[in-house]
Amino acid sequence: MNSFEKHMVTSIENELSAYSYSILAVAEVEQASLVMPEVLIENQFNVTDSGLYAFISKPTSQQEINNGAFNLEDKILWQSQSSFILNLPDILTDLLLDEFASEHTPLATGDKSFSTVNIKNTPYFIYSFAVSFSDEEQDFPIIVHIVRDKQTFIELINDFEQQLWFGLAILMLIILLLQLAWLMWTLKPLSTLQKEIHAVEQGKAEKLTSTYPKELSKLTNQVNQLLVTEQKQRQRYRNALSDLAHSLKTPLAVLQAQSDISAVNQEQINRINSTIDHQLKRAQSAGQSSWLLGIGVTPIVDKLLNTLAKIYQHQDTTLKLSSHKNLRFKGDEADLLELLGNLLDNAYKAAKSTIKLTIEQQGELLIICVEDDGVGIKSEQIERILERGTRADTYESGHGVGLAIVRDLVKSYQGELNIGNSLELGGASFTLRFSTS
């Protein structure tokens, strides 16, 4: 901006200098008097209030300035027709005073001066050039003054400044758009990676298949190896569980065929057989599902409550259900059935008349709470239940059976199990927390 303004000021100075030479070219001195033509070549000097003015004055000596004994009106030798609108001599008097009295240095022959003056609060450029005409008798010194309205210059600078800021704004917008496009292009592999991982979580894909840049390829390869390893590990676990269950079926069948087995032993064999059937079904059903595929909670709860209602139809127990819709459990259906089934079965056995099941989502946590109005659980029993390896079936009837399975399943999903007593119902309270992210 400053460079452009300096360039424009220099151009105006050169222009006014050229005008001064054009006036000197037509000026003549005869018998110690200045003679000027009525019409100048540059037509702006001939038109009133054209914005370009000229006048010629006598130089003022340093002694005259020091003594203050001079009349500037007498110093004016000639003025252009365009300058009559400036109301000379008063305006020209102020102009000469501003030129000389403020500087305290009169122009000598050959000197040039270029500055800005204010005439009635209006800015003007003024260019002064001191010359001297000589004849055989004496010298005739004069100063040529070229005055130009500065308003056009100011408007030009303002227009340039506006265009400059507008251009910079457009340039910044283009740069921002380019940066945005570049950022979107560079982050596109991350977006693709996010979509593929989400597809794996939803069970729509088994591994990452897109081509990634070398910065991400090592990471995606490791993720694929982890996915394959996890799937193989889970499959080996299911196969081992299935093989174990099948291997136990034959000895149990032989035992069941014995005629001398007591009723107590027969009951235990039947329980073992039921457990084996359950694990076989679990291995078969879970083997078909995706390792991270979430399942809807509501259908599982409805199915389980219908089954329990039939089992405990002769028991006068009221179950209060508080559950939000569209809740999902990140795990196997069989595991969720195992968790809820054991907790609710224990609650039915311990409750006097009321059971409460609450399932809700808090942030990224799925919270399941089962409460009853039974006798509750003592603090020392809670500590023993949570100890690894403790037999769960050694506790009071209604709270021992199946808690070991619940505890291990919660731990396998890196969840949290809290056991206490219900403030609302007075009996036991079991709260499970699982991450849904």
Side-chain angles (χ1 to χ4, degrees):
M1 182 65 187
N2 291 334
S3 299
F4 176 76
E5 185 173 351
K6 290 179 181 179
H7 174 74
M8 290 298 298
V9 170
T10 303
S11 299
I12 292 175
E13 182 180 0
N14 294 334
E15 181 184 3
L16 298 185
S17 175
Y19 285 139
S20 68
Y21 283 112
S22 68
I23 290 178
L24 289 173
V26 297
E28 295 181 1
V29 176
E30 296 179 0
Q31 298 177 355
S33 295
L34 179 65
V35 179
M36 294 291 294
E38 293 183 0
V39 178
L40 298 178
I41 297 175
E42 176 55 55
N43 194 46
Q44 291 187 74
F45 291 121
N46 305 320
V47 179
T48 302
D49 197 22
S50 64
L52 184 64
Y53 318 103
F55 68 92
I56 300 175
S57 67
K58 295 178 182 179
T60 304
S61 66
Q62 185 67 49
Q63 184 177 1
E64 290 177 318
I65 294 175
N66 293 335
N67 296 332
F70 62 93
N71 189 347
L72 287 176
E73 295 182 11
D74 297 335
K75 294 289 185 178
I76 301 171
L77 300 177
W78 170 87
Q79 69 182 88
S80 65
Q81 295 181 16
S82 61
S83 65
F84 284 104
I85 195 66
L86 297 179
N87 193 20
L88 290 177
D90 292 341
I91 296 178
L92 293 178
T93 299
D94 294 339
L95 181 62
L96 290 176
L97 285 173
D98 185 68
E99 172 67 24
F100 297 114
S102 62
E103 296 291 338
H104 298 288
T105 303
L107 292 177
T109 300
D111 290 342
K112 301 176 182 179
S113 173
F114 180 72
S115 61
T116 300
V117 295
N118 288 319
I119 304 174
K120 290 187 177 181
N121 296 323
T122 302
Y124 291 86
F125 289 112
I126 180 169
Y127 179 85
S128 302
F129 184 28
V131 298
S132 177
F133 287 87
S134 301
D135 56 18
E136 296 178 355
E137 297 180 357
Q138 62 180 357
D139 293 336
F140 188 83
I142 63 172
I143 300 178
V144 179
H145 304 277
I146 308 296
V147 182
R148 179 170 179 174
D149 188 358
K150 194 177 179 180
Q151 191 61 37
T152 304
F153 169 81
I154 295 175
E155 292 175 356
L156 181 63
I157 293 297
N158 290 336
D159 289 342
F160 175 77
E161 185 176 2
Q162 291 178 359
Q163 292 178 5
L164 178 63
W165 285 113
F166 180 75
L168 289 176
I170 295 297
L171 180 61
M172 289 298 296
L173 180 60
I174 293 175
I175 292 175
L176 288 175
L177 291 175
L178 290 176
Q179 287 183 334
L180 180 61
W182 177 82
L183 187 63
M184 292 177 63
W185 180 77
T186 54
L187 294 180
K188 186 177 180 181
L190 294 178
S191 178
T192 303
L193 178 60
Q194 181 184 14
K195 292 179 180 177
E196 285 205 304
I197 291 178
H198 184 68
V200 171
E201 289 182 346
Q202 297 298 317
K204 299 177 181 178
E206 294 184 354
K207 63 179 182 178
L208 310 179
T209 57
S210 298
T211 302
Y212 293 93
K214 60 181 181 180
E215 293 83 1
L216 291 176
S217 59
K218 187 174 181 180
L219 172 64
T220 54
N221 290 336
Q222 291 177 343
V223 171
N224 280 334
Q225 291 177 2
L226 177 63
L227 292 174
V228 171
T229 301
E230 178 66 21
Q231 291 171 1
K232 289 182 178 179
Q233 223 171 18
R234 290 178 66 85
Q235 188 60 45
R236 283 196 298 268
Y237 162 73
R238 299 302 182 189
N239 291 340
L241 187 61
S242 179
D243 292 343
L244 177 61
H246 278 294
S247 63
L248 293 175
K249 291 287 285 186
T250 301
L252 283 174
V254 173
L255 289 175
Q256 284 180 319
Q258 300 296 322
S259 59
D260 57 347
I261 296 179
S262 65
V264 175
N265 291 337
Q266 185 64 47
E267 181 182 356
Q268 296 302 318
I269 292 174
N270 291 337
R271 289 186 60 185
I272 294 173
N273 195 42
S274 297
T275 301
I276 292 173
D277 289 338
H278 170 70
Q279 294 299 337
L280 278 173
K281 293 179 181 178
R282 179 180 174 187
Q284 292 170 356
S285 61
Q288 304 296 324
S289 60
S290 173
W291 70 290
L292 274 179
L293 182 60
I295 59 170
V297 174
T298 302
I300 305 300
V301 172
D302 293 341
K303 183 191 303 182
L304 185 59
L305 292 183
N306 290 333
T307 302
L308 290 172
K310 295 177 181 178
I311 296 175
Y312 296 99
Q313 59 181 331
H314 300 297
Q315 183 174 323
D316 187 15
T317 303
T318 302
L319 190 144
K320 298 179 180 180
L321 174 63
S322 175
S323 175
H324 295 275
K325 295 181 179 180
N326 302 322
L327 296 179
R328 299 190 70 81
F329 172 71
K330 282 296 185 69
D332 291 333
E333 178 179 343
D335 290 339
L336 182 59
L337 281 170
E338 189 84 41
L339 289 168
L340 290 176
N342 278 296
L343 292 179
L344 289 173
D345 185 62
N346 287 341
Y348 268 101
K349 293 176 180 177
K352 298 176 181 177
S353 61
T354 306
I355 299 173
K356 184 177 180 181
L357 172 61
T358 304
I359 306 175
E360 60 183 352
Q361 180 92 25
Q362 291 185 3
E364 295 185 351
L365 290 178
L366 175 67
I367 300 178
I368 302 173
C369 182
V370 178
E371 304 170 83
D372 62 63
D373 61 349
V375 296
I377 303 179
K378 298 178 181 179
S379 58
E380 59 270 17
Q381 291 177 323
I382 296 175
E383 295 177 1
R384 292 179 61 191
I385 290 174
L386 296 178
E387 289 179 2
R388 183 174 180 84
T390 302
R391 285 179 54 84
D393 55 4
T394 61
Y395 302 113
E396 295 179 10
S397 175
H399 288 112
V401 180
L403 284 182
I405 298 176
V406 172
R407 179 191 58 200
D408 292 340
L409 279 175
V410 171
K411 188 173 182 180
S412 69
Y413 282 102
Q414 297 180 341
E416 181 182 346
L417 170 62
N418 291 325
I419 305 175
N421 291 304
S422 173
L423 297 178
E424 179 181 351
L425 301 181
S429 172
F430 297 85
T431 303
L432 311 178
R433 291 180 176 87
F434 299 99
S435 174
T436 59
S437 60

